[in-house]
Amino acid sequence: MISRRTFTRAVGLGVGATALSLGAAAPAPAALAAGPDRSEGPGRAGRPGPVVPTVAPGTHTAFPALKQVRAGVLDIGYAEAGPKHGPVVVCLHGWPYDIHSFVDVAPLLADAGYRVIVPYLRGHGTTTFLAPTTVRNAQQSAIALDIVALMDALKIDRAVLAGFDWGSRTADIIAALWPERVNALVSVSGYLVTNVPAQQNPLPPKAEHTWWYQYYFATERGRVAMETRQNRHDLCRLVWDETSPTWDFDDATFERTAAAFENPDYAAIVIHNYRWRLGLADGERRYDRHEHLLAARPAVTVPTITLDPALDPFLATTDGAAYRKYFTGPYEHRVLPGVGHNAPQEAPTAFAQAVVDADRL
């Protein structure tokens, strides 16, 4: 377990100007305060959007050459597609996945006129820490601030945010705390902001069973497994099989993503994320005020489409009723039939269409 003393020795946050405030959510620059200008381009609100053409999952297998940018405490690796001056979509992956969850989504959105940014989250792929002394912290507000810092570094004032798993949580947090940076939101599984005290309450046994790896990672045995290459590889493959029961992916598809697990900080980031969520590892004090804001369960006011994959084992139901109250702006809820947890890779057309439509709400 990471001790509180270790965390308080960490170096400065180092994120962009928008993320410096640790009190209330950072204020919008004056030019942004009036909200997004939706008068031109694919993001015109209230106007019918383009129909995204149907593509089979696995149509694309790779991105063009990756880019790198220093942002906050990280050197972030990311893929980019689409016109440089198009409205921006930031696509955020989960665990145990990587940017390839969006390998079919990105070209669909690029063809619709969007500039698509798909970053590796901290501890994944080519995203590395700038300083060896930076704490390998994966609490939710730290990851959200990474993406705010990325937007600052790329001079992106606002974007559509779209994600699943860790990516949904990250997008939800940014939409809740910095709505002036978000044109619209697509969130698989809805409102995933972590409430650490609530995590102490047991779930029904079937649900607890589904989360087996979270409890495994709470043990030293689980930590060692994640630090061991073959065990890490096989554990992540097992999670893919269990959480996407009808997705007929091949070995090559998994291996393309598994390469991202070779990041030297991967095990530390994954273990800390799940231990922190269970209240078993400390966060850093620099994020306390953000976590206090999130503990109040702030509403998401930006236009939002939530997606529930019908075969996702983590969902008790797919009607979205459990989290509907947290989305107070323009809103739609959709169910993805026959789709498991990795929604954008299993159903790229439906996911891309949700992005286009959310931007028109």
Side-chain angles (χ1 to χ4, degrees), residues 2-49:
I2 303 174
S3 70
R4 187 176 299 277
R5 179 176 295 178
T6 300
F7 274 88
T8 55
R9 292 197 196 112
V11 296
L13 182 62
V15 299
T18 308
L20 284 175
S21 170
L22 291 180
L32 306 184
D37 176 4
R38 295 169 172 267
S39 59
E40 298 183 8
R44 289 173 295 180
R47 300 285 298 279

Side-chain angles (χ1 to χ4, degrees), residues 48-54 105 108-109 114 186 305 307 332 334 347-360:
V51 176
V52 174
T54 300
V105 169
L108 291 173
L109 293 174
Y114 288 93
V186 174
I305 292 178
L307 302 174
E332 288 184 16
R334 299 177 181 179
T349 301
F351 191 92
Q353 189 67 61
V355 171
V356 171
D357 293 346
D359 200 24
R360 300 278 178 143

Side-chain angles (χ1 to χ4, degrees), residues 91 110 114 151 168 188 208 211-212 229 243 268 281 284 357:
C91 295
Y114 288 93
M151 292 174 65
S168 287
V188 177
E208 297 279 36
W211 284 101
W212 64 269
R229 184 179 188 184
T243 61
E284 293 181 83
D357 293 346

Side-chain angles (χ1 to χ4, degrees), residues 168-215:
S168 287
R169 179 173 298 105
T170 302
D172 291 347
I173 291 169
I174 298 171
L177 297 186
W178 297 280
E180 72 278 0
R181 304 303 297 269
V182 182
N183 277 344
L185 171 69
V186 174
S187 182
V188 177
S189 308
Y191 192 85
L192 293 185
V193 177
T194 298
N195 183 332
V196 174
Q199 292 280 87
Q200 310 310 306
N201 299 322
L203 298 171
K206 185 175 181 180
E208 297 279 36
H209 178 267
T210 302
W211 284 101
W212 64 269
Y213 57 85
Q214 178 169 266
Y215 311 123

